[in-house]
Amino acid sequence: MGINLFRLLAAFLKPVIPTLAENAENFLNIDSQAWPADARPLLNHAINNFKPLMTRVDADKISAIVEASKENLEKTTDKRSTFAQRNEKKFEPIADIIEFDDFAKLDLRIAKIIKADQVEGSDKLLQLTVDIGDETRNIFAGIKSAYTAEDLEGKLTLVIANLAPRKMRFGYSEGMVLAAGPGGKDIWILSPDKGAVAGMRVK
Amino acid sequence: MSDRKILVTSALPYANGPIHLGHLVEYIQTDIWVRFQKQRGNHCYFVCADDTHGTPIMLKADREGIKPEQLIAQVGKEHLADFTEFGVAFDNYHSTHSEENKTFSSLIYIRLRDAGHISSRTITQAYDPVKAMFLPDRFIKGECPKCGAADQYGDGCEVCGATYSPTELKNAVSAISGEKPIEKDSVHYFFNLADFTGMLRDWTNAGHLQAEVCNKLAEWLDGGLQQWDISRDAPYFGFEIPDAPGKYFYVWLDAPIGYMASFKNLCDKQGLDFDEFWAEDSTAELYHFIGKDIIYFHALFWPAMLNGAHFRTPSAIFVHGFLTVNGEKMSKSRGTFITARTYLEHLNPEYLRYYFAAKLSAGVDDIDLNFDDFSQRVNSDLVGKVVNIASRCSGFISKRFANVLSASCSEPALFQEFINANEQIAAFYETREFGKAMREIMALADKANQYIDEKKPWLIAKQEVQNA
């Protein structure tokens, strides 16, 4: 009798606690319960062994939730992106191991930024004219959010000189300026120590 | 049992942050109602989507150095995972950044335009000269013109509560670049909401809304309806307006259309008839569950847009209140701003589903999550009353009867009393009086435990075995 009453309670509660109701159906060895408007008692019916259907709320867990929510706050106020938070590390993971030969393929050069121009129609790019020793290159760099043209002109920096030229909406980019940082205002281009001159290979 | 055709929606969560317990009040409320309808045998469909457009999403993606499409794909996945683990079982979860939504947004716009409900004029707005974009009010900061408080948004002061326009703000700067905004002209498109004043007056009084909501709308209608600015200038993450290059639909125009788009997507997957639910003469039921902060969009703009574009209007809009925790607004510093994920890492989601059900009514009042009450109610009702019945009875049935139930019903009257209660409980679920439904069910659980206390069925069982 008690089991038959329990069965009706599980049916009434099914919209609210569907997992518990389903586990109850497994225990009762019955099909998924419709709304019990005309249910009949289960008689001479074999049920399964009872397994605990729900444990009591552990008060420590509630405190843990509150503590964890305070920690979330600390994480968000330190302005790390949600993507960085997810893997609990400050920076992206180190890339796969490469062989020396792979590295040697990169031709990195010291470059002098001769000119930096606005790119009409782009709010991200600056058009840089750089001297890499024996030639000058045209490079579009997505650093407008962090640098003004005045910041850059005359500066020595680091570029990849043998990257295949890439056609962009505003023209060809013949290389890439190397920079650190997540983006937006937080972009830092690299500068060599005093003494390096445009054209030197970085090895 | 009936065979109603019902389409149900929850409001679309915005794709710039995680789901928290405040959101879950609505999704759990809607899900309970939908599951009840399905259990009753009705053809009920529950659709939702991520709300993905607008300046905040564009800027957040920019800050993270990814495309808005990548951001919304990632967040959409997280939202759906949270909902699924809370047992919120959508029939379809889509995105407002979808082909279906683009098609319907354009269609509704064109129908409204052709019927003369769209106008355009030049307005002056704050503009960030560095980022080369117009600034929404929330992206302008400065000193409150009334009380002088620093670091206030362009639309209102959080210190003194004054509301004003961004141009009144003192020493205003763009929250994006820190630059002083300039004023710039731009052509904007407007939906002439006032064309629908009569229609809305009738509609809002025709039983589609809760009494409190009706009163609020009567105030707005009496105050006169303003034109609604539905366009935004590039750069903007959204849909370009068909006949206006460089102009985009304001996110709130295409968000509710996302309900249709998600359902269209479901229709295409399952071969359902879209028009049966959305055509002007549809007899299917359509319900939107929303929070009280977005009544204006759902009970004024949305029915007017649908009516003007020759679609059916909602059967009803069900508005709920906000969630407070321990009697106060959710607070990050107190640790009561709890995300769905944090909860799931520690506690069974069905505790919260039951607790919300026990607190919910059909009204728009706020509901409070009190942690002591939460533990006490779940422990006493679900564990102590309901599950306890099964655990008390299962022992002797297993030991004495090899898990086979009795061949006769010892208390047919008591069983029938439980069956008879189904109508009252169903009526409470149907009218979203979930708290009353839970009290009714727990009263039955008390009766079942009382019966077990009195009859001590394990003694009867012993007797029967001895007599056999």
Side-chain angles (χ1 to χ4, degrees):
Chain A
M1 187 63 205
I3 292 291
N4 270 300
L5 299 179
F6 170 71
R7 172 187 160 228
L8 295 178
L9 294 173
F12 291 143
L13 285 168
K14 197 171 172 180
V16 178
I17 44 175
T19 306
L20 190 147
E22 198 180 309
N23 291 337
E25 286 160 2
N26 291 336
F27 159 61
L28 296 168
N29 190 26
I30 55 174
D31 292 338
S32 178
Q33 295 203 83
W35 188 255
D38 48 12
R40 317 215 57 83
L42 297 169
L43 301 175
N44 216 359
H45 170 86
I47 60 172
N48 290 313
N49 284 329
F50 180 77
K51 288 183 206 136
L53 293 167
M54 184 175 267
T55 55
R56 296 170 63 83
V57 178
D58 180 348
D60 291 347
K61 295 273 176 67
I62 294 180
S63 319
I65 286 178
V66 172
E67 282 313 305
S69 300
K70 287 181 186 161
E71 282 167 26
N72 279 349
L73 170 72
E74 283 156 23
K75 274 192 212 159
T76 42
T77 47
D78 104 85
K79 285 204 173 146
R80 273 155 43 190
S81 77
T82 51
F83 291 85
Q85 278 175 36
R86 193 165 305 114
N87 43 36
E88 307 246 303
K89 286 186 178 165
K90 272 193 188 148
F91 299 106
E92 60 182 301
I94 304 295
D96 292 344
I97 298 290
I98 58 166
E99 296 305 321
F100 180 78
D101 288 348
D102 296 321
F103 168 70
K105 287 179 189 162
L106 299 175
D107 191 340
L108 302 171
R109 298 288 173 139
I110 301 296
K112 183 169 186 174
I113 302 171
I114 305 169
K115 221 153 83 67
D117 294 309
Q118 306 290 332
V119 180
E120 194 153 334
S122 168
D123 54 358
K124 293 204 175 80
L125 297 176
L126 286 175
Q127 180 172 16
L128 308 179
T129 308
V130 302
D131 171 5
I132 54 163
D134 293 326
E135 55 180 293
T136 61
R137 292 281 182 86
N138 180 50
I139 295 178
F140 290 99
I143 55 174
K144 189 176 170 183
S145 53
Y147 288 90
T148 64
E150 293 75 12
D151 290 334
L152 296 167
E153 285 178 7
K155 223 177 167 64
L156 287 177
T157 189
L158 202 60
V159 302
I160 301 185
N162 64 336
L163 194 66
R166 190 160 153 243
K167 187 169 184 341
M168 304 183 69
R169 193 143 60 97
F170 314 96
Y172 275 95
S173 188
E174 308 162 308
M176 202 163 85
V177 172
L178 302 186
K185 283 183 179 162
D186 297 336
I187 298 177
W188 293 275
I189 63 166
L190 307 175
S191 310
D193 274 353
K194 213 169 168 183
V197 297
M200 284 177 173
R201 185 160 182 190
V202 182
K203 291 180 280 195
Chain B
M1 294 275 163
S2 53
D3 186 19
R4 292 153 58 188
K5 291 198 160 57
I6 310 171
L7 176 57
V8 182
T9 70
S10 289
L12 314 184
Y14 200 52
N16 71 340
I19 300 300
H20 55 68
L21 299 195
H23 290 116
L24 283 168
V25 172
E26 175 173 311
Y27 298 95
I28 289 175
Q29 181 191 31
T30 318
D31 184 70
I32 291 172
W33 200 77
V34 168
R35 285 180 184 267
F36 165 72
Q37 297 300 346
K38 290 184 177 180
Q39 200 183 354
R40 297 272 281 174
N42 292 321
H43 291 283
C44 184
Y45 301 96
F46 181 16
V47 300
C48 194
D50 255 30
D51 181 13
T52 59
H53 290 152
T55 309
I57 284 176
M58 181 177 76
L59 293 174
K60 187 181 168 89
D62 199 41
R63 275 200 306 279
E64 304 208 347
I66 56 177
K67 290 202 164 96
E69 286 85 353
Q70 285 172 286
L71 175 70
I72 64 175
Q74 180 62 40
V75 174
K77 215 187 289 173
E78 290 170 5
H79 284 176
L80 184 57
D82 288 345
F83 290 137
T84 305
E85 285 181 59
F86 268 97
V88 177
F90 301 113
D91 290 281
N92 200 41
Y93 197 78
H94 207 40
S95 163
T96 58
H97 196 63
S98 66
E99 274 310 310
E100 295 92 341
N101 202 35
K102 192 174 183 176
T103 305
F104 281 117
S105 299
S106 301
L107 177 70
I108 288 174
Y109 168 78
I110 287 167
R111 287 187 182 173
L112 293 174
R113 182 198 65 191
D114 291 351
H117 300 306
I118 304 286
S119 50
S120 65
R121 63 189 151 88
T122 300
I123 63 166
T124 306
Q125 262 191 309
Y127 183 85
D128 182 329
V130 176
K131 290 292 282 185
M133 63 179 283
F134 285 96
L135 291 166
D137 295 352
R138 302 289 286 187
F139 288 94
I140 302 166
K141 287 195 149 190
E143 289 156 25
C144 169
K146 302 269 159 39
C147 77
D151 207 28
Q152 298 303 313
Y153 291 117
D155 54 352
C157 177
E158 288 182 346
V159 176
C160 73
T163 58
Y164 40 76
S165 82
T167 47
E168 296 174 65
L169 213 56
K170 283 191 236 157
N171 298 323
V173 293
S174 158
I176 307 162
S177 68
E179 200 71 17
K180 187 176 159 46
I182 57 170
E183 291 193 354
K184 198 172 161 175
D185 288 349
S186 168
V187 174
H188 274 239
Y189 290 73
F190 294 84
F191 175 44
N192 302 328
L193 189 62
D195 295 354
F196 296 88
T197 305
M199 175 260 155
L200 287 170
R201 218 174 259 287
D202 293 344
W203 189 82
T204 53
N205 285 304
H208 305 292
L209 301 167
Q210 292 135 292
E212 304 96 310
V213 180
C214 272
N215 295 339
K216 191 76 218 162
L217 288 166
E219 279 175 34
W220 284 330
L221 285 161
D222 291 344
L225 298 173
Q226 306 298 313
Q227 284 187 323
W228 182 33
D229 185 348
I230 56 163
S231 73
R232 294 293 182 270
D233 287 278
Y236 194 77
F237 184 58
F239 295 136
E240 208 163 21
I241 299 180
D243 55 358
K247 308 284 177 188
Y248 289 79
F249 288 128
Y250 174 44
V251 55
W252 262 110
L253 182 105
D254 72 61
I257 299 173
Y259 298 141
M260 297 172 100
S262 183
F263 185 64
K264 177 72 171 87
N265 182 258
L266 178 71
C267 288
D268 292 345
K269 285 182 196 161
Q270 299 193 355
L272 303 171
D273 181 1
F274 179 85
D275 292 338
E276 189 179 3
F277 287 83
W278 286 98
E280 205 163 21
D281 60 353
S282 165
T283 55
E285 299 166 58
L286 170 64
Y287 301 107
H288 302 303
F289 283 76
I290 61 165
K292 62 184 177 186
D293 52 330
I294 53 176
I295 293 173
Y296 207 97
F297 295 99
H298 283 82
L300 290 180
F301 294 150
W302 180 230
M305 281 162 67
L306 289 168
N307 178 268
H310 302 291
F311 287 105
R312 59 88 47 84
T313 49
S315 310
I317 291 169
F318 297 143
V319 181
H320 61 81
F322 295 141
L323 179 70
T324 56
V325 179
N326 292 338
E328 296 181 76
K329 208 174 149 195
M330 297 202 305
S331 143
K332 291 192 172 175
S333 59
R334 279 191 292 270
T336 55
F337 193 95
I338 300 166
T339 65
R341 191 45 50 187
T342 303
Y343 178 99
L344 287 168
E345 281 164 8
H346 296 92
L347 288 176
N348 180 343
E350 296 208 336
Y351 294 161
L352 191 68
R353 289 180 66 103
Y354 176 72
Y355 187 71
F356 280 169
K359 302 283 277 196
L360 277 164
S361 72
V364 301
D365 304 325
D366 291 349
I367 69 168
D368 186 49
L369 165 60
N370 175 289
F371 290 135
D372 293 334
D373 184 42
F374 170 84
S375 306
Q376 199 264 330
R377 223 185 261 232
V378 170
N379 290 343
S380 112
D381 290 359
L382 292 184
V383 184
K385 290 179 185 172
V386 178
V387 171
N388 196 34
I389 300 167
S391 82
R392 290 174 86 182
C393 296
S394 61
F396 73 85
I397 296 170
S398 163
K399 268 186 237 142
R400 301 274 173 195
F401 302 105
N403 275 347
V404 175
L405 300 181
S406 164
S408 64
C409 181
S410 60
E411 298 274 341
L414 185 59
F415 186 83
Q416 196 53 44
E417 189 186 337
F418 272 51
I419 293 286
N420 292 346
N422 96 81
E423 282 177 30
Q424 180 62 64
I425 296 168
F428 284 143
Y429 271 122
E430 180 69 42
T431 53
R432 305 179 324 289
E433 292 290 357
F434 299 164
K436 289 181 182 165
M438 294 309 104
R439 280 194 286 284
E440 191 78 17
I441 296 168
M442 289 311 138
L444 293 178
D446 284 338
K447 275 192 183 142
N449 277 299
Q450 208 179 340
Y451 158 81
I452 295 168
D453 290 341
E454 281 167 11
K455 299 292 160 116
K456 300 187 171 50
W458 49 92
L459 294 184
I460 304 170
K462 218 169 176 177
Q463 201 76 42
E464 281 175 12
V465 171
Q466 281 166 0
N467 294 348

Coordinates of all heavy atoms in Angstrom, one line a residue, chain B residues 75-104:
Chain B
V75 N 29.8 30.5 -25.5 CA 28.9 30.8 -24.5 C 27.6 30.0 -24.6 O 27.0 29.5 -23.7 CB 28.6 32.3 -24.4 CG1 27.5 32.6 -23.4 CG2 29.8 33.1 -24.0
G76 N 27.1 29.9 -25.9 CA 25.9 29.1 -26.2 C 26.1 27.7 -25.7 O 25.1 27.1 -25.1
K77 N 27.2 27.1 -25.9 CA 27.5 25.8 -25.5 C 27.4 25.7 -24.0 O 26.9 24.7 -23.4 CB 28.9 25.4 -26.0 CG 29.0 23.9 -26.4 CD 30.4 23.5 -26.8 CE 31.0 24.1 -28.0 NZ 32.4 23.9 -28.2
E78 N 28.0 26.6 -23.3 CA 28.1 26.6 -21.8 C 26.7 26.8 -21.2 O 26.3 26.1 -20.3 CB 29.0 27.8 -21.3 CG 30.4 27.5 -21.5 CD 31.3 28.7 -21.2 OE1 30.8 29.7 -20.7 OE2 32.5 28.7 -21.5
H79 N 25.9 27.7 -21.9 CA 24.5 27.9 -21.4 C 23.7 26.6 -21.5 O 23.0 26.2 -20.5 CB 23.8 29.0 -22.2 CG 24.2 30.4 -21.9 ND1 23.8 31.5 -22.5 CD2 25.1 30.9 -20.9 CE1 24.3 32.6 -22.0 NE2 25.1 32.2 -21.0
L80 N 23.8 26.0 -22.6 CA 23.0 24.8 -22.8 C 23.4 23.7 -21.9 O 22.6 22.9 -21.3 CB 23.1 24.3 -24.3 CG 22.2 23.1 -24.6 CD1 20.7 23.4 -24.3 CD2 22.3 22.7 -26.1
A81 N 24.7 23.6 -21.6 CA 25.2 22.5 -20.7 C 24.7 22.8 -19.3 O 24.2 21.9 -18.6 CB 26.8 22.5 -20.7
D82 N 24.7 24.0 -18.9 CA 24.1 24.4 -17.5 C 22.6 24.0 -17.5 O 22.2 23.4 -16.5 CB 24.3 25.9 -17.3 CG 25.7 26.3 -17.0 OD1 26.5 25.4 -16.7 OD2 26.0 27.5 -17.0
F83 N 21.9 24.4 -18.5 CA 20.4 24.1 -18.5 C 20.2 22.6 -18.4 O 19.3 22.2 -17.7 CB 19.8 24.7 -19.7 CG 19.7 26.2 -19.7 CD1 20.0 27.0 -20.9 CD2 19.3 26.9 -18.6 CE1 19.9 28.4 -20.9 CE2 19.3 28.3 -18.5 CZ 19.6 29.0 -19.7
T84 N 20.9 21.9 -19.3 CA 20.7 20.5 -19.4 C 20.9 19.8 -18.0 O 20.1 19.0 -17.6 CB 21.6 19.9 -20.5 OG1 21.3 20.6 -21.7 CG2 21.3 18.4 -20.7
E85 N 22.0 20.2 -17.4 CA 22.3 19.6 -16.1 C 21.3 20.0 -15.0 O 21.1 19.2 -14.0 CB 23.7 19.9 -15.6 CG 24.7 19.1 -16.4 CD 26.1 19.4 -16.0 OE1 26.5 19.2 -14.8 OE2 26.9 19.8 -16.8
F86 N 20.6 21.1 -15.2 CA 19.5 21.4 -14.2 C 18.2 20.8 -14.7 O 17.1 21.1 -14.1 CB 19.4 23.0 -14.1 CG 20.2 23.5 -13.0 CD1 21.4 24.0 -13.2 CD2 19.7 23.5 -11.7 CE1 22.2 24.5 -12.1 CE2 20.4 24.0 -10.6 CZ 21.7 24.5 -10.9
G87 N 18.2 19.9 -15.7 CA 17.0 19.2 -16.1 C 16.1 20.1 -16.9 O 15.0 19.7 -17.2
V88 N 16.5 21.2 -17.4 CA 15.7 22.1 -18.2 C 15.8 21.5 -19.6 O 16.8 21.5 -20.3 CB 16.2 23.5 -18.2 CG1 15.4 24.4 -19.1 CG2 16.1 24.1 -16.8
A89 N 14.7 20.9 -20.1 CA 14.7 20.1 -21.3 C 14.0 20.8 -22.4 O 12.8 20.7 -22.7 CB 14.0 18.8 -21.0
F90 N 14.8 21.7 -23.1 CA 14.2 22.3 -24.3 C 14.0 21.3 -25.4 O 14.8 20.4 -25.6 CB 15.2 23.4 -24.8 CG 15.6 24.4 -23.8 CD1 16.9 24.5 -23.3 CD2 14.7 25.4 -23.4 CE1 17.2 25.5 -22.4 CE2 15.0 26.3 -22.5 CZ 16.3 26.4 -22.0
D91 N 13.0 21.6 -26.2 CA 12.8 20.8 -27.4 C 13.8 21.3 -28.5 O 14.2 20.6 -29.4 CB 11.4 20.9 -27.9 CG 10.5 20.1 -27.0 OD1 10.5 18.8 -27.1 OD2 9.9 20.7 -26.1
N92 N 14.1 22.6 -28.4 CA 15.1 23.2 -29.3 C 15.8 24.4 -28.6 O 15.2 25.2 -28.0 CB 14.5 23.6 -30.6 CG 15.5 23.7 -31.7 OD1 16.4 22.9 -31.8 ND2 15.5 24.8 -32.5
Y93 N 17.1 24.4 -28.7 CA 17.9 25.5 -28.2 C 18.7 26.1 -29.4 O 19.6 25.4 -29.9 CB 18.8 25.1 -27.1 CG 19.3 26.3 -26.3 CD1 18.4 27.0 -25.4 CD2 20.6 26.9 -26.5 CE1 18.8 28.1 -24.7 CE2 21.0 28.0 -25.8 CZ 20.1 28.6 -24.9 OH 20.5 29.7 -24.2
H94 N 18.4 27.3 -29.8 CA 19.0 27.8 -31.0 C 19.8 29.1 -30.7 O 20.1 29.4 -29.5 CB 17.8 28.1 -32.0 CG 18.2 28.1 -33.4 ND1 19.1 27.1 -33.9 CD2 17.8 28.8 -34.5 CE1 19.3 27.3 -35.3 NE2 18.5 28.4 -35.6
S95 N 20.1 29.9 -31.7 CA 20.8 31.1 -31.5 C 20.1 32.2 -32.3 O 19.6 31.9 -33.4 CB 22.2 31.0 -32.0 OG 22.8 32.2 -32.2
T96 N 20.1 33.5 -31.8 CA 19.5 34.5 -32.6 C 20.4 34.9 -33.8 O 20.0 35.6 -34.7 CB 19.3 35.8 -31.8 OG1 20.5 36.3 -31.2 CG2 18.2 35.6 -30.7
H97 N 21.7 34.4 -33.8 CA 22.5 34.7 -34.9 C 22.4 33.5 -35.9 O 23.3 32.8 -36.1 CB 24.0 34.8 -34.4 CG 24.9 35.5 -35.5 ND1 24.7 36.7 -36.0 CD2 26.0 35.0 -36.2 CE1 25.6 37.0 -36.9 NE2 26.4 36.0 -37.0
S98 N 21.2 33.3 -36.4 CA 20.9 32.2 -37.3 C 20.2 32.7 -38.5 O 19.6 33.8 -38.6 CB 20.0 31.2 -36.5 OG 18.7 31.8 -36.3
E99 N 20.3 31.8 -39.5 CA 19.6 32.1 -40.8 C 18.1 32.4 -40.6 O 17.5 33.3 -41.2 CB 19.8 31.0 -41.8 CG 21.1 31.1 -42.6 CD 21.3 32.5 -43.2 OE1 20.4 33.0 -43.9 OE2 22.4 33.1 -43.0
E100 N 17.5 31.5 -39.8 CA 16.1 31.6 -39.6 C 15.7 33.0 -39.0 O 14.8 33.6 -39.4 CB 15.6 30.5 -38.6 CG 15.7 29.1 -39.2 CD 17.0 28.4 -38.7 OE1 17.9 29.1 -38.4 OE2 17.0 27.2 -38.8
N101 N 16.5 33.4 -38.1 CA 16.2 34.6 -37.4 C 16.4 35.8 -38.3 O 15.7 36.8 -38.3 CB 17.1 34.8 -36.1 CG 16.5 35.7 -35.1 OD1 15.2 35.8 -35.0 ND2 17.3 36.5 -34.5
K102 N 17.5 35.7 -39.2 CA 17.7 36.8 -40.1 C 16.5 36.9 -41.1 O 16.0 38.0 -41.4 CB 19.0 36.4 -40.9 CG 19.5 37.6 -41.7 CD 20.8 37.2 -42.3 CE 21.4 38.4 -43.1 NZ 22.7 38.1 -43.6
T103 N 16.0 35.7 -41.5 CA 14.9 35.7 -42.5 C 13.7 36.4 -41.8 O 13.0 37.2 -42.4 CB 14.6 34.3 -42.9 OG1 15.8 33.7 -43.4 CG2 13.5 34.2 -43.9
F104 N 13.3 35.9 -40.6 CA 12.1 36.4 -40.0 C 12.3 37.9 -39.6 O 11.3 38.7 -39.7 CB 11.7 35.6 -38.8 CG 11.0 34.3 -39.1 CD1 11.6 33.1 -38.8 CD2 9.8 34.3 -39.8 CE1 11.0 31.9 -39.2 CE2 9.2 33.1 -40.2 CZ 9.8 31.9 -39.8

